């Protein structure tokens, strides 16, 4: 059944960035009846559906600051949750963050108009955005895209890929037959430093880590963090210092991707894990212009169309002039606080 409803704001995506957007719009006084929320699952995005078993690189206090950062979240009314029992200065599994996000999602869905479907196309006309979905059309003056990102892939034929979401989850990895396997792990990110020890707990023959550059470690300074978004933190950093920049454990080798030995070592591998970052999930089509890009300082894609979250991260420089893309729940909220006043003015 197709029908049309008119809204002031539509938020596409219900991961952490989408949750932040709905919360802040309500905090800003936008009537709940004027907000449409579109997502196929409403299950806290990939964080809630794919990454629960992953050890975070963010301390519990920062997560709690996000969860308590919007009055609309009503998180003070939430039942007791395990996250409250974690030392505020310790990192934790993302599972402990996903459950509060699911709880908040349920509260927000009771207030705004939620459409459990996938947005497929956007059309601007008559100063309104027409959002086509798998089930109906929604019309809104403004649209926030918070569609998330998916792991990047590399193409090496002949290698059996172990999806990164499996390699990061010890229980799911245990279901794989790895006896005697030689596994290539591409990358040197936070995810890489979780995948490597996960694999070494299994009876693999060898793990070969192919890398491009030296490791980076986050450094906590008085009021900011050096390499906050690109450096290793928490358990991943501790493991890397001991086992990568320290002494390699048995069965682990490393190879620079530009090394003369690359082809020879790669040929010895039969499995591969690609921990090489993320790329924006496929956006709803915009046939009027083709593929749109965003302003990485303010999130604007077009009049009344804005991007938020890991798909459209803020680009910022630290006090030493090092530029990086800002990714994290609290960072999404802080960025939204900075740009939402502009978005409220940059209308169709």
């Amino acid at each position: 059944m197709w029908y049309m409803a008119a809204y002031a704001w539509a938020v596409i995506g219900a991961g952490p960035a989408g949750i932040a957007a709905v919360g802040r719009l309500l905090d800003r006084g936008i009537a709940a009846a004027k907000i449409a929320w579109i997502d196929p699952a409403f299950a806290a995005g990939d964080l809630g559906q794919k990454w629960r078993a992953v050890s975070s690189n963010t301390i519990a206090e920062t997560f709690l600051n996000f969860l308590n950062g919007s009055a609309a979240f009503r998180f003070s009314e939430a039942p007791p949750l395990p996250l409250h029992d974690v030392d505020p200065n310790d990192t934790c599994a993302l599972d402990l963050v996903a459950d509060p996000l699911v709880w908040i999602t349920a509260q927000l869905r009771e207030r705004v108009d939620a459409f459990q479907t996938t947005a497929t196309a956007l059309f601007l006309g008559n100063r309104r955005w027409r959002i086509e979905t798998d089930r109906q059309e929604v019309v809104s003056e403004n649209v926030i895209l918070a569609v998330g990102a998916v792991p990047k892939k590399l193409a090496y034929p002949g290698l059996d890929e172990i999806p990164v979401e499996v390699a990061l989850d010890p229980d799911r990895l245990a279901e794989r037959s790895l006896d005697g396997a030689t596994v290539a792990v591409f990358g040197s990110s936070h995810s890489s430093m979780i995948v490597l020890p996960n694999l070494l707990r299994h009876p693999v023959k060898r793990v070969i880590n192919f890398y491009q550059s030296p490791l980076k470690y986050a450094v906590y300074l008085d009021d900011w963090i050096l390499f906050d978004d690109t450096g290793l933190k928490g358990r991943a950093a501790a493991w890397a210092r001991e086992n990568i920049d320290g002494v390699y454990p048995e069965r682990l080798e490393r190879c620079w991707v530009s090394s003369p030995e690359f082809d020879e070592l790669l040929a010895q591998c039969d499995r591969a894990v690609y921990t090489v970052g993320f790329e924006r999930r496929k956006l709803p089509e915009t046939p009027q212009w083709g593929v749109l890009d965003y302003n990485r300082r303010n999130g604007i894609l077009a009049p009344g169309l804005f991007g938020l979250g890991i798909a459209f991260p803020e680009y910022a420089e630290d006090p030493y002039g090092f530029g990086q893309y800002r990714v994290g729940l609290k960072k999404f909220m802080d960025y939204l606080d900075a740009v939402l006043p502009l978005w409220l003015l940059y209308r169709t």
Side-chain angles (χ1 to χ4, degrees):
M1 180 178 69
W2 291 72
Y3 63 91
M4 188 171 292
Y7 297 90
W9 289 85
V11 177
I12 299 175
I19 293 169
V22 173
R24 269 296 180 262
L25 290 172
L26 291 169
D27 291 344
R28 280 271 178 169
I30 306 298
K34 288 292 185 180
I35 300 172
W37 199 8
I38 301 169
D39 189 83
F42 289 102
D46 288 340
L47 188 153
Q49 297 172 88
K50 288 185 178 182
W51 312 120
R52 283 177 173 264
V54 177
S55 174
S56 168
N57 62 0
T58 301
I59 61 173
E61 182 180 37
T62 302
F63 286 128
L64 288 169
N65 287 340
F66 171 87
L67 296 169
N68 289 299
S70 167
F73 289 173
R74 299 174 176 170
F75 189 60
S76 62
E77 303 172 18
L81 293 162
L83 182 62
H84 290 115
D85 299 327
V86 177
D87 184 323
N89 295 311
D90 283 350
T91 58
C92 63
L94 289 177
D95 184 53
L96 300 188
V97 183
D99 287 340
L101 291 174
V102 170
W103 186 89
I104 289 171
T105 298
Q107 313 311 306
L108 295 176
R109 286 185 73 182
E110 291 179 359
R111 301 175 64 186
V112 304
D113 283 358
F115 299 85
Q116 191 161 341
T117 183
T118 299
T120 56
L122 299 170
F123 300 88
L124 178 60
N126 195 28
R127 300 183 63 189
R128 299 289 186 274
W129 285 97
R130 177 166 56 89
I131 306 165
E132 289 188 356
T133 79
D134 291 340
R135 297 184 179 178
Q136 61 262 106
E137 288 188 355
V138 176
V139 171
S140 180
E141 297 174 12
N142 305 281
V143 178
I144 297 175
L145 294 172
V147 298
V150 295
K152 291 180 180 178
K153 303 281 189 180
L154 300 177
Y156 286 104
L159 293 178
D160 179 13
E161 181 187 354
I162 303 173
V164 65
E165 58 265 33
V166 172
L168 286 167
D169 186 331
D171 291 336
R172 294 179 67 186
L173 188 61
E175 297 171 358
R176 296 278 173 140
S177 176
L178 295 171
D179 291 20
T182 297
V183 185
V185 176
F186 290 86
S188 53
S189 64
H190 177 81
S191 296
S192 311
M193 299 305 130
I194 297 174
V195 167
L196 290 172
N198 279 357
L199 286 168
L200 291 169
R201 294 187 190 104
H202 292 269
V204 297
K205 180 180 178 181
R206 296 158 72 199
V207 176
I208 305 176
N209 180 208
F210 295 100
Y211 64 93
Q212 288 186 319
S213 58
L215 298 182
K216 264 183 202 165
Y217 297 94
V219 179
Y220 292 81
L221 303 170
D222 289 340
D223 57 354
W224 65 285
I225 302 172
L226 178 69
F227 302 142
D228 189 14
D229 294 273
T230 56
L232 298 173
K233 300 176 183 173
R235 296 176 186 175
W239 189 88
R241 282 193 169 99
E242 184 71 22
N243 297 279
I244 300 297
D245 292 332
V247 179
Y248 291 176
E250 291 185 12
R251 298 177 294 143
L252 175 64
E253 300 176 37
R254 299 193 84 218
C255 177
W256 182 37
V257 294
S258 298
S259 167
E261 299 176 342
F262 175 82
D263 290 335
E264 177 185 349
L265 288 174
L266 184 62
Q268 298 173 25
C269 300
D270 45 57
R271 315 286 172 84
V273 184
Y274 303 124
T275 57
V276 291
F278 291 80
E279 60 188 1
R280 184 182 304 150
R281 179 172 273 108
K282 186 176 184 293
L283 298 178
E285 295 182 359
T286 47
Q288 290 157 291
W289 307 282
V291 179
L292 291 176
D293 203 358
Y294 78 116
N295 184 304
R296 62 185 188 169
R297 298 281 189 176
N298 58 38
I300 294 173
L301 286 95
L305 181 64
F306 313 100
L308 181 68
I310 192 172
F312 303 97
E314 174 194 15
Y315 180 83
E317 293 183 353
D318 68 21
Y320 287 98
F322 176 75
Q324 54 193 334
Y325 288 97
R326 309 283 289 159
V327 174
L329 276 66
K330 182 66 165 55
K331 293 167 189 172
F332 297 157
M333 186 71 86
D334 291 344
Y335 177 52
L336 186 58
D337 287 341
V339 298
L340 187 54
L342 174 63
W343 294 1
L344 291 165
L345 296 172
Y346 198 76
R347 307 168 67 93
T348 55

